[in-house]
Amino acid sequence: MLRVNWFIYQFWKSYIKKAMILVGPSLGSAVAIDFAINHPEAVEKLVLIDASVYAEGTGNLATLPQMVAYAGVYLLKSIPLRLYANYLSFTNISFSTAVDWTNVGRLHCLLPWWEDAAVDFMTSGGYNVASQIKMVKQKTLIIWGENDRIISNKLAVQLHCELPDAIIRQIPDCGHLPHVERPDSVAKLIAEFVQTSTKAVNQCAPSL
């Protein structure tokens, strides 16, 4: 996914121009890791939230015939599937709230170019950064929702153990999207992390 890296880097070079705190939620964590390794001068610290970094790209989906790929992408924006995804992503939300988040979560799917972009991502092979994790040099904060039903907490522990300089913080009563479900808690953790400057020796966290 070199194009994504290129666009992020061009934005950074044009508007930011100094080492930044790069935050990546879910699959965005794979993007953040890939970017931090390829452009270390642009990233001071990393924040990875319920990181999806161990999937082997898009797997067999990369080999689907185009017609089948478009059918699958069309299904991704369906209301029933989005409702179910919200059920998995959040902790103890009401049906009306789930409907609201479903409507918000589908907005990007309704853009005229979204299906083409989604199929392009699928057939490109996606992100596969598992082998790169140990190459990350930046100090990293791992944030994880205690009740994440999409990505196991065991992978949070594995990620913490593999990153050379990382700390891990878990948010109780929270699912896969802490920055949406518990924004105040996430903001506080990030603020505290940004203010720390000492490098600590990473010790693997016990099982969560």
Side-chain angles (χ1 to χ4, degrees):
M1 300 302 294
L2 293 178
R3 282 182 295 174
V4 176
N5 257 341
W6 185 86
F7 283 119
I8 297 174
Y9 183 72
Q10 293 304 315
F11 180 86
W12 174 83
K13 189 168 68 171
S14 299
Y15 298 102
I16 301 175
K17 302 177 184 178
K18 63 179 181 179
M20 59 184 171
I21 312 297
L22 185 58
V23 181
S26 194
L27 183 59
S29 293
V31 179
I33 285 175
D34 190 48
F35 184 83
I37 290 170
N38 286 283
H39 301 287
E41 74 281 7
V43 181
E44 178 186 352
K45 294 180 179 181
L46 279 174
V47 178
L48 308 179
I49 302 175
D50 290 70
S52 176
V53 293
Y54 289 108
E56 296 181 359
T58 55
N60 293 331
L61 295 178
T63 62
L64 287 177
Q66 194 172 61
M67 184 179 298
V68 177
Y70 271 97
V73 165
Y74 183 81
L75 180 64
L76 282 177
K77 67 179 180 182
S78 68
I79 291 176
L81 186 61
R82 289 279 167 174
L83 270 172
Y84 181 64
N86 277 300
Y87 166 74
L88 293 178
S89 298
F90 294 96
T91 302
N92 298 323
I93 60 172
S94 66
F95 179 75
S96 61
T97 301
V99 170
D100 285 343
W101 278 118
T102 297
N103 290 331
V104 171
R106 291 181 72 242
L107 287 176
H108 67 290
C109 303
L110 304 180
L111 293 169
W113 45 261
W114 178 78
E115 290 182 8
D116 292 335
V119 169
D120 184 52
F121 175 79
M122 185 188 301
T123 57
S124 74
Y127 275 95
N128 187 348
V129 300
S131 62
Q132 297 176 272
I133 292 171
K134 294 180 180 179
M135 298 165 59
V136 173
K137 304 299 183 185
Q138 292 84 353
K139 186 174 183 64
T140 304
L141 169 63
I142 303 167
I143 298 175
W144 218 273
E146 188 179 56
N147 300 328
D148 191 338
R149 290 181 288 183
I150 293 180
I151 302 179
S152 169
N153 286 350
K154 293 180 180 179
L155 293 181
V157 176
Q158 181 178 340
L159 180 61
H160 181 242
C161 290
E162 290 186 8
L163 285 166
D165 185 12
I167 58 174
I168 186 169
R169 298 290 183 264
Q170 190 170 217
I171 298 179
D173 299 318
C174 184
H176 182 63
L177 303 172
H179 51 296
V180 177
E181 193 171 357
R182 299 285 186 271
D184 291 344
S185 298
V186 171
K188 181 180 178 181
L189 288 173
I190 293 176
E192 292 172 351
F193 176 65
V194 169
Q195 293 166 7
T196 60
S197 57
T198 56
K199 179 176 181 179
V201 176
N202 186 15
Q203 296 181 340
C204 286
S207 297
L208 296 176

